[in-house]
Amino acid sequence: EADEELLDAVVTIGHEVRTLRPCSAPAESWISGKSPALQEIQKAYQSGRADSRPFTPLLMLVTGRLSTDRDGSEFGAAYDTTFTATRLVRALSQTTC
């Protein structure tokens, strides 16, 4: 879509954590629970870091929209931006950008 971005970003998922930090930005964003690609991202995250410690970041290439609207969820409200992921392009084996 025209308003979507293609981002390489570090993703971290765990208990009370669902964040994405674009390689081109210093701040993390909350991944919206309404993201069409959330389940696919979670599956890729789990399989990509199967032998790693909890909360180990994983580099992914994703498309979606970054918004300054705060997520209304309990944990998402702590982040200044929300990312609505529309598609997982690829999960990489790297943990950093």
Side-chain angles (χ1 to χ4, degrees):
E1 299 291 321
D3 63 339
E4 292 183 357
E5 297 180 67
L6 175 64
L7 299 174
D8 52 341
V10 176
V11 173
T12 304
I13 297 176
H15 181 66
E16 303 174 358
V17 175
R18 194 170 63 224
T19 62
L20 172 141
R21 185 186 52 79
C23 292
S24 60
E28 291 181 314
S29 297
W30 184 256
I31 301 173
S32 171
K34 297 177 183 176
S35 295
L38 181 57
Q39 283 188 324
E40 188 178 7
I41 289 170
Q42 289 173 318
K43 278 183 173 179
Y45 181 82
Q46 290 302 321
S47 66
R49 56 153 299 279
D51 296 327
S52 302
R53 296 176 50 108
F55 305 105
T56 298
L58 185 65
L59 187 62
M60 294 187 183
L61 187 59
V62 295
T63 62
R65 289 179 294 285
L66 197 56
S67 170
T68 55
D69 297 335
R70 288 184 183 235
D71 187 271
S73 67
E74 178 181 357
F75 302 110
Y79 295 84
D80 292 333
T81 55
T82 301
F83 185 76
T84 301
T86 54
R87 185 168 64 105
L88 170 64
V89 177
R90 180 177 41 212
L92 304 167
S93 60
Q94 299 165 233
T95 59
T96 61
C97 295

